[in-house]
Structures are given as C-alpha cells and as structure tokens.
Amino acid sequence: MDDKPNPEALSDSSERLFSFGIIADVQYADLEDGFNFQGTRRRYYRHSLLHLQGAIEDWNNESSTPCCVLQLGDIIDGYNAQFNASEKSLELVMDTFKRLKVPVHHTWGNHEFYNFSREYLTHSKLNTKFLEDQIVHHPETMPSEDYYAYHFVPFPKFRFILLDGYDLSVLGVDQSSPKYEQCMKILREHNPNTELNSPQGELFL
C-alpha cells in the first residue's frame, strides 16, 4: 500500500498562509541591449525597467496581496559606473519600486558594489535594515555597523534571513583598509585567474 501523500490533494485542502514576491537581477541601465560577461546571454538593460513595472503591477493586483517583496540584488548594472549614471539609474529604479503597495527587502549583489561603496550603500535606500525584527543582541554577537544582514518574521513560525554575501570582498571596500588586504590575500591564494573578477572557477570576493 502506498502511503505517500498526494500533493494535489494537499494543495486542494490546504489554506495558503501567506505569499511573498521575489525579483532578482533587474540590472537596469539606460543602454542598448548587450551581453553577459561570457558573451553567451543577451542583456536587456533598458527594457528591464518594463519587466519590473509589470511585476509590480501583478503583485499589486493579486487577490491575496503578498506580505512583502524580496529584491535579491543587482538592481542596476555595473555599466552605469562607466557612464557616471549609477545614482541616476538607482533613483529611477527606486522610484519604480515606490508603486509597490508592500515593503521591499533589498539585498546587495556584485553589481551594487560595481556602482557604489559599502559606505554609500549603508546610507542609501537599498539599506532596508529598518524592516528587521527588533531583538536584543548579545554583546559578543553584535554585528558591526557596516555588516548588512538582518532577519524578520512575515508570518508566525516563518523567519527570513538576509545575509551579507559580500562581507569579505574586495568590492566596495577602501583599498587601503585591512579588510581589503585580507580579501585580496584570500583571492590570490585560491583564485588562479589573472583577471581576479573572471567567472572562471567561480570564486568571487
């Protein structure tokens, strides 16, 4: 006798507890279409804003409104830095997010650090730590001010944890700082590529 549960039966009888939206790699830039680092995938830099607008419209029109949206990084493309358009592009994308009726939790990807320093991001609209659950930290586990990570509970018994994936990184860090030297040492020890930011071997710091 097969005692395995029937997923369809479960979905028919189960009540949805809550929902949330996810979007990643918007990578907006006011540029014509291009390609990724390897030249294998097309990038629709300018058109990406339309996709974001469409996603926001869908979330706003859901019969059961999502509790929040998770923006998983690379909100604008690194090319913006080459054209001194980082702040302008970020402002345009953030203005688009204002149309959303629910909170947005932002994480930082490599393209955020191609455009901005960690200090800039810490004081920018991409810092959504104010949405975290307020808890008392033990003095020994108190995170540093520039460590971007937090957690929150969107629904009882569900906890979301946003981690700082670039805490140890040469991106967005003052090159004269001890942390930069530490990260560069790790890169040189473990990354055989001449171009340290090459995806060959997939070690990113």
Side-chain angles (χ1 to χ4, degrees):
M1 181 177 179
D2 189 357
D3 293 329
K4 293 182 179 179
N6 184 336
E8 293 186 3
L10 286 174
S11 62
D12 289 341
S13 61
S14 299
E15 178 184 356
R16 179 167 62 178
L17 300 179
F18 71 101
S19 65
F20 59 94
I22 295 179
I23 193 165
D25 298 299
V26 176
Q27 291 190 221
Y28 171 76
D30 187 14
L31 296 171
E32 298 298 327
D33 297 347
F35 290 89
N36 63 350
F37 189 91
Q38 296 93 339
T40 57
R41 298 184 64 182
R42 198 167 188 84
R43 292 268 173 84
Y44 301 94
Y45 299 112
R46 191 176 290 128
H47 194 74
S48 65
L49 202 61
L50 297 178
H51 287 293
L52 174 60
Q53 292 168 356
I56 290 173
E57 289 178 9
D58 286 346
W59 287 320
N60 285 341
N61 293 326
E62 285 279 349
S63 57
S64 178
T65 306
C67 66
C68 64
V69 167
L70 307 179
Q71 189 280 117
L72 301 184
D74 293 352
I75 196 169
I76 63 173
D77 195 84
Y79 273 126
N80 285 286
Q82 297 182 25
F83 297 96
N84 295 317
S86 300
E87 292 187 355
K88 180 180 179 181
S89 292
L90 178 61
E91 192 66 28
L92 183 59
V93 177
M94 297 304 286
D95 282 346
T96 303
F97 267 111
K98 287 179 181 178
R99 305 176 189 177
L100 190 61
K101 297 177 181 178
V102 298
V104 183
H105 296 268
H106 294 288
T107 60
W108 301 345
N110 56 313
H111 283 263
E112 275 75 16
F113 290 104
Y114 293 156
N115 285 282
F116 306 109
S117 68
R118 176 172 287 271
E119 182 180 5
Y120 182 97
L121 291 171
T122 299
H123 297 93
S124 75
K125 295 177 182 177
L126 288 177
N127 184 340
T128 48
K129 285 188 72 174
F130 65 91
L131 295 173
E132 71 178 334
D133 284 352
Q134 299 299 318
I135 62 172
V136 177
H137 290 277
H138 188 280
E140 294 182 1
T141 61
M142 181 71 71
S144 62
E145 186 176 339
D146 65 348
Y147 181 71
Y148 182 64
Y150 65 93
H151 55 87
F152 65 97
V153 177
F155 190 86
K157 298 185 179 181
F158 289 85
R159 183 174 299 277
F160 288 9
I161 302 173
L162 281 70
L163 296 177
D164 191 338
Y166 285 85
D167 177 43
L168 279 179
S169 174
V170 297
L171 298 178
V173 182
D174 185 347
Q175 295 187 13
S176 64
S177 68
K179 176 171 278 191
Y180 181 88
E181 294 179 5
Q182 176 191 8
C183 295
M184 186 59 73
K185 182 176 182 292
I186 295 173
L187 266 178
R188 287 172 174 157
E189 288 177 352
H190 300 281
N191 188 348
N193 300 319
T194 303
E195 169 53 59
L196 294 178
N197 198 41
S198 169
Q200 188 73 30
E202 297 185 351
L203 176 66
F204 294 96
L205 279 176

